[in-house]
Amino acid sequence: MTPHWLEEPGAPVTAVVDGLPDAVAAADWIDTHRDALRGVLTRHGALYLRGLPVSDAADFALVRDALFAERAKYQEKATPRSDFGDDVFSSTDLPPAQAIRMHNENSYTLTFPGLLLFGCLTAPTEGGATPVADVRRVLDRLPADLVDRFRRHGWSLVRNYAEHISLDWRTAFATDSRADVERYCAANAIDVTWGDDDTLRTRQVRSATVRHPRTGEEVWFNHVAFWSEWALDPDIRDVLVGEFGGDGLPFNTAFGDGTPLTPEDVAVLDAAYEHATVRRAWQPGDLLLVDNVRTAHGRDPFRGDRKIVVAMGEPVALADCTPSLPVPAPALAGRA
């Protein structure tokens, strides 16, 4: 069965497949056409599959296993997700009115998923698309002097783990043991500071650009704008700063040398993402396959029920992506 291809301005390339009876047949079809689908993904960075009979998490897991040669772990958790079992999760459990900014999944870890697969089980009545952006185009759109600063210094991420302002450290690191957290952070070049009331503060520096492990193309690969304090709603930022101080925000980013970002820096990044962003409204059964190194993704606000599941696959090591900074050495863990 040959798909019908849709290539439309402002939307990801889409393969429309009709007539398959069930998810087993869909997985068989994907297995047969995997090389061709991967070729399209290499050219475009993201690919919709429409018309497949995928109606629940079990169906989604079947087609995921036909697409992915290996599953990837979700590490250093940062947002609430529901776990449907078999390494299938909700995309993100955040309020419907809240947009999720563009980002590459787990860009702050030393190993991250090379592929993401999203699946629509319930489509919202309004909004709720999963936009994608070619981060080669994002990089090309940014001012040369700003990119040069990020190439030289990288970017830093500070996280404060506390029950009432973000995920607590037990949820984020999937352990109840401080020693386990310290071992993980030492192995992954993350500085650790334990605070009062069972809180944790971490800091890590990562490259802002990398090269795609297969094509060698340089891409903008980070969470710099996503977690900047200037990405927060101004009223929410004022409340958080007033309550916890500037160093107590759940997340914040800066240049890797510690120089703060300005609101103008973040506005420039946002504009570059917007210029490169395309989207397609979800329909039940839709799949979206994303090359996570080549393509950023986000979420539009929505109304109505929305159930989008996600799986991560084919892990990639930062060391294999020619990062602009040397892969960091292990950090000292357990600082008081």
Side-chain angles (χ1 to χ4, degrees):
M1 184 178 298
T2 302
H4 170 60
W5 291 96
L6 300 176
E7 295 192 36
E8 301 165 325
V13 63
T14 299
V16 181
V17 185
D18 294 318
L20 296 174
D22 53 33
V24 173
D28 288 343
W29 184 89
I30 287 173
D31 186 62
T32 299
H33 293 84
R34 185 190 300 110
D35 290 346
L37 295 174
R38 288 296 189 90
V40 174
L41 184 68
T42 297
R43 291 195 299 275
H44 294 277
L47 165 66
Y48 257 88
L49 289 169
R50 174 159 287 176
L52 297 178
V54 175
S55 60
D56 58 26
D59 290 347
F60 178 78
L62 276 177
V63 297
R64 179 270 317 276
D65 289 342
L67 277 166
F68 291 176
E70 181 183 356
R71 301 181 190 184
K73 295 180 180 178
Y74 181 37
Q75 303 180 97
E76 299 175 43
K77 299 179 179 69
T79 54
R81 298 178 187 264
S82 299
D83 187 343
F84 298 109
D86 201 17
D87 294 322
V88 175
F89 301 90
S90 61
S91 55
T92 300
D93 297 336
L94 290 175
Q98 181 175 341
I100 298 176
R101 286 168 170 259
M102 305 302 286
H103 61 286
N104 300 81
E105 198 68 35
N106 279 166
S107 73
Y108 47 92
T109 60
L110 297 186
T111 302
F112 37 80
L115 295 179
L116 305 173
L117 182 66
F118 297 89
C120 179
L121 305 184
T122 303
T125 55
E126 181 181 333
T130 299
V132 291
D134 184 336
V135 286
R136 300 174 308 170
R137 294 182 61 198
V138 174
L139 180 62
D140 288 344
R141 191 78 174 180
L142 293 174
D145 58 340
L146 184 65
V147 172
D148 184 60
R149 289 181 68 189
F150 275 111
R151 284 196 186 108
R152 286 186 286 114
H153 300 297
W155 67 289
S156 70
L157 169 63
V158 172
R159 294 182 63 176
N160 287 294
Y161 302 82
E163 187 174 354
H164 300 297
I165 64 168
S166 66
L167 292 185
D168 64 275
W169 60 265
R170 291 176 176 82
T171 301
F173 290 96
T175 181
D176 291 325
S177 167
R178 286 192 178 199
D180 286 348
V181 173
E182 292 174 359
R183 279 191 290 270
Y184 176 89
C185 290
N188 288 274
I190 302 172
D191 288 316
V192 172
T193 304
W194 294 104
D196 298 332
D197 302 321
D198 203 36
T199 59
L200 171 66
R201 175 185 172 93
T202 62
R203 182 180 184 270
Q204 58 221 81
V205 175
R206 299 291 186 255
S207 293
T209 68
V210 301
R211 291 191 177 274
H212 196 285
R214 289 195 307 279
T215 69
E217 297 168 295
E218 189 180 21
V219 299
W220 182 250
F221 184 81
N222 55 69
H223 274 67
V224 171
F226 184 88
W227 274 331
S228 169
E229 63 178 299
W230 305 115
L232 291 168
D233 179 276
D235 292 337
I236 293 175
R237 179 185 176 276
D238 289 346
V239 169
L240 290 173
V241 170
E243 181 71 18
F244 303 106
D247 292 335
L249 295 171
F251 308 94
N252 204 0
T253 60
F255 290 95
D257 63 356
T259 303
L261 293 165
T262 67
E264 293 75 21
D265 291 331
V266 175
V268 167
L269 297 177
D270 286 342
Y273 278 118
E274 183 59 33
H275 177 76
T277 294
V278 297
R279 53 175 50 80
R280 188 178 291 282
W282 284 112
Q283 293 182 11
D286 280 353
L287 302 176
L288 172 60
L289 181 62
V290 175
D291 179 329
N292 184 47
V293 181
R294 159 82 177 272
T295 304
H297 68 279
R299 189 195 74 181
D300 291 342
F302 65 93
R303 296 179 183 273
D305 292 336
R306 179 185 188 270
K307 188 174 182 180
I308 306 297
V309 291
V310 64
M312 306 177 192
E314 306 199 4
V316 173
L318 177 62
D320 293 332
C321 296
T322 318
S324 55
L325 297 181
V327 176
L332 293 175
R335 285 185 195 167

